[in-house]
Amino acid sequence: MASADSRVTIHMAASLDGYIARRDGSVDWLETSDEFADGEPMDPGVVEAFLKTIDCYVMGSRTYETALGFEAQGLGWSYGDKPTFVLTSRNLPRMRENVEFYAGDLAQLVNGRLRPSFRSIWFVGGGLVSAECLRLGLADEVSYSILPILIGDGVAFFEELDRDVALHLA
Ligand SMILES: NC(=O)c1ccc[n+]([C@@H]2O[C@H](COP(=O)([O-])OP(=O)(O)OC[C@H]3O[C@@H](n4cnc5c(N)ncnc54)[C@H](OP(=O)(O)O)[C@@H]3O)[C@@H](O)[C@H]2O)c1
């Protein structure tokens, strides 16, 4: 039975024109030099405390490959020691104990496996997986960060979504 208070969040950062990566998968544009004068500074202690509230991560294989690429460049692994579920039908390298591969029915994974075990479940991309998650009605919330840049073309936040999904703005 699903945990009554489990919560599935989709979180990514997009350009103002709605892309999460260039068509070649690069995300160099995430580093902007712009400053939001009225914004609050990201205190590392607050970020660290917030990350502790996330219980597990779910991602598509292409996002996983990007994360492995960052790690190979010495930029570290962004998901700490939290259980991380990677959706793939391929045999990808498993670089750490807390990474698990899954192929098949996403609703079965979320409702049958993750919700009963984890409270805060974070889908961290990419576009294909976030669209699949919404299409199947699995997400409780979408956390959509917008960067002040236009990149013209790329992988959409909700890639290949084939129908309307009405949401409530919170
Ligand atoms: N800006 C941001 O915040 C942000 C965040 C995350 C990612 N990104 C970027 O987004 C890009 C990746 O997004 P994407 O939409 O191309 O790909 P993705 O969503 O990361 O991965 C899609 C792949 O996951 C596998 N998959 C999905 N559902 C599955 C299922 N139910 N069972 C088995 N396998 C499944 C399939 O690959 P297989 O062939 O392996 O089966 C599918 O092609 C990367 O460039 C990444 O850097 C940006």
Side-chain angles (χ1 to χ4, degrees):
M1 198 176 80
S3 155
D5 56 0
S6 67
R7 189 162 189 79
V8 173
T9 301
I10 298 173
H11 171 76
M12 285 191 284
S15 62
L16 181 60
D17 45 355
Y19 300 112
I20 55 156
R22 296 191 197 279
R23 274 285 154 217
D24 66 3
S26 56
V27 288
D28 53 294
W29 53 272
L30 284 172
E31 296 290 329
T32 92
S33 56
D34 187 45
E35 275 184 31
F36 180 35
D38 290 339
E40 288 183 18
M42 297 269 277
D43 177 57
V46 172
V47 174
E48 195 180 330
F50 176 72
L51 291 176
K52 281 191 181 147
T53 68
I54 299 173
D55 296 316
C56 75
Y57 293 100
V58 182
M59 67 181 71
S61 60
R62 294 187 204 156
T63 297
Y64 176 62
E65 289 172 306
T66 300
L68 289 185
F70 284 155
E71 198 177 24
Q73 289 169 46
L75 298 172
W77 173 254
S78 305
Y79 311 99
D81 56 4
K82 299 292 170 69
T84 299
F85 297 85
V86 176
L87 303 174
T88 188
S89 55
R90 293 177 286 147
N91 276 323
L92 292 173
R94 183 167 175 246
M95 308 301 280
R96 40 191 11 100
E97 287 284 306
N98 58 327
V99 166
E100 191 176 314
F101 298 115
Y102 179 87
D105 185 347
L106 190 57
Q108 177 58 35
L109 174 70
V110 172
N111 294 329
R113 175 103 186 271
L114 303 185
R115 282 197 188 269
S117 306
F118 302 103
R119 281 185 60 171
S120 176
I121 300 161
W122 270 47
F123 272 68
V124 290
L128 285 169
V129 165
S130 73
E132 190 178 351
C133 184
L134 273 181
R135 195 184 299 115
L136 294 170
L138 301 174
D140 296 299
E141 70 180 353
V142 178
S143 167
Y144 195 122
S145 299
I146 302 172
L147 278 96
I149 185 169
L150 303 166
I151 62 172
D153 188 21
V155 179
F157 197 116
F158 307 105
E159 183 78 351
E160 297 180 16
L161 189 64
D162 53 4
R163 63 177 175 82
D164 292 357
V165 176
L167 306 170
H168 166 66
L169 181 62

